[in-house]
Amino acid sequence: SQQGEEDPQALSIQEGENATMNCSYKTSINNLQWYRQNSGRGLVHLILIRSNEREKHSGRLRVTLDTSKKSSSLLITASRAADTASYFCATDPYTGANSKLTFGKGITLSVRP
Amino acid sequence: DTGVSQNPRHKITKRGQNVTFRCDPISEHNRLYWYRQTLGQGPEFLTYFQNEAQLEKSRLLSDRFSAERPKGSFSTLEIQRTEQGDSAMYLCAEWQGGHSPLHFGNGTRLTVT
């Protein structure tokens, strides 16, 4: 079963625009992670936010976490055609153990040049 | 390339044949995970190892699937008597501990004809 659920399922934007992707989950978490996957490749880690953090930045990425609503958002600013990929949120339910990350179904982002 | 390495990248096999995939992690003795990903879905957990010990197996891992990690280094995933439903991308990932993310290989894409 998949704990995280991303929204929307697909997103198409123009280069230069911002892309916002949302993730909701069901159970308590230790941290929440966002990954990116290019077609036919493995997943690449983008950013990790711990349960006691509310916002985190990394370059053009901004992640928020609202544990009361069990939701997270990933914002990509000033998008580029190279950002075209699938994006997944993943939840780690156990403190320090990372026994198994549970992934959502993903969001397909298309950035038009 | 010092990342997680998976071989082969692609495997086409006929139904009923056995296949074996290999994963070489970055470092020995880190936790090693196997995930399966079908088209349009996120990765689904199959199993993981801490050193050579297989600590958890998903119900997705039927008795036709077996995984090993001899000596706590590389790992193999074998599927016996393959079925068309086994067609998927099989991903290996390594975890280095603490609040660190998973490092994925590029996967092995299995097609069962």
Side-chain angles (χ1 to χ4, degrees):
Chain A
S1 65
Q2 301 189 289
Q3 142 107 304
E5 200 169 303
E6 294 95 343
D7 167 61
Q9 288 187 328
L11 184 59
S12 180
I13 59 174
Q14 199 74 34
E15 203 165 28
E17 293 180 339
N18 296 341
T20 300
M21 292 170 266
N22 302 301
C23 170
S24 59
Y25 57 92
K26 296 172 185 170
T27 62
S28 298
I29 60 169
N30 180 45
N31 65 61
L32 185 144
Q33 304 176 29
W34 284 91
Y35 288 79
R36 166 197 165 123
Q37 184 178 37
N38 288 83
S39 181
R41 310 283 289 185
L43 282 77
V44 175
H45 174 254
L46 293 176
I47 196 163
L48 180 154
I49 186 164
R50 301 186 189 192
S51 60
N52 62 353
E53 296 176 314
R54 291 297 165 257
E55 188 171 313
K56 204 162 179 182
H57 297 254
S58 176
R60 293 185 296 115
L61 305 180
R62 173 180 167 250
V63 169
T64 62
L65 179 65
D66 187 334
T67 53
S68 67
K69 294 180 179 177
K70 291 187 166 58
S71 67
S72 173
S73 68
L74 172 67
L75 169 68
I76 304 175
T77 60
S79 63
R80 305 166 182 168
D83 294 328
T84 295
S86 293
Y87 292 82
F88 296 89
C89 70
T91 51
D92 170 14
Y94 300 111
T95 301
N98 199 355
S99 66
K100 65 183 189 208
L101 283 186
T102 305
F103 288 83
K105 292 185 178 181
I107 297 170
T108 301
L109 173 66
S110 298
V111 181
R112 304 185 300 274
Chain B
D1 183 359
T2 56
V4 176
S5 176
Q6 290 189 248
N7 288 289
R9 287 296 313 279
H10 305 275
K11 179 71 177 177
I12 300 173
T13 191
K14 291 186 178 178
R15 191 173 50 190
Q17 298 294 305
N18 299 345
V19 293
T20 300
F21 312 138
R22 177 176 169 128
C23 172
D24 286 272
I26 301 167
S27 303
E28 291 188 359
H29 308 299
N30 285 335
R31 195 171 285 182
L32 188 150
Y33 292 78
W34 285 98
Y35 281 81
R36 181 173 72 184
Q37 185 180 25
T38 53
L39 204 61
Q41 301 293 314
E44 293 178 298
F45 169 78
L46 291 179
T47 188
Y48 80 91
F49 292 84
Q50 179 68 56
N51 295 322
E52 64 271 17
Q54 188 173 17
L55 296 185
E56 189 175 343
K57 290 167 59 173
S58 162
R59 277 170 285 182
L60 293 174
L61 218 62
S62 76
D63 57 5
R64 295 184 298 105
F65 287 70
S66 62
E68 293 182 338
R69 193 183 182 194
K71 302 177 185 177
S73 55
F74 71 91
S75 177
T76 58
L77 177 67
E78 181 183 15
I79 309 174
Q80 296 182 327
R81 305 181 303 282
T82 52
E83 301 173 356
Q84 285 187 321
D86 297 332
S87 295
M89 173 81 90
Y90 290 85
L91 295 160
C92 174
E94 179 179 358
W95 181 60
Q96 295 171 334
H99 278 283
S100 65
L102 291 180
H103 295 279
F104 282 87
N106 279 324
T108 294
R109 179 163 295 285
L110 173 66
T111 303
V112 182
T113 62

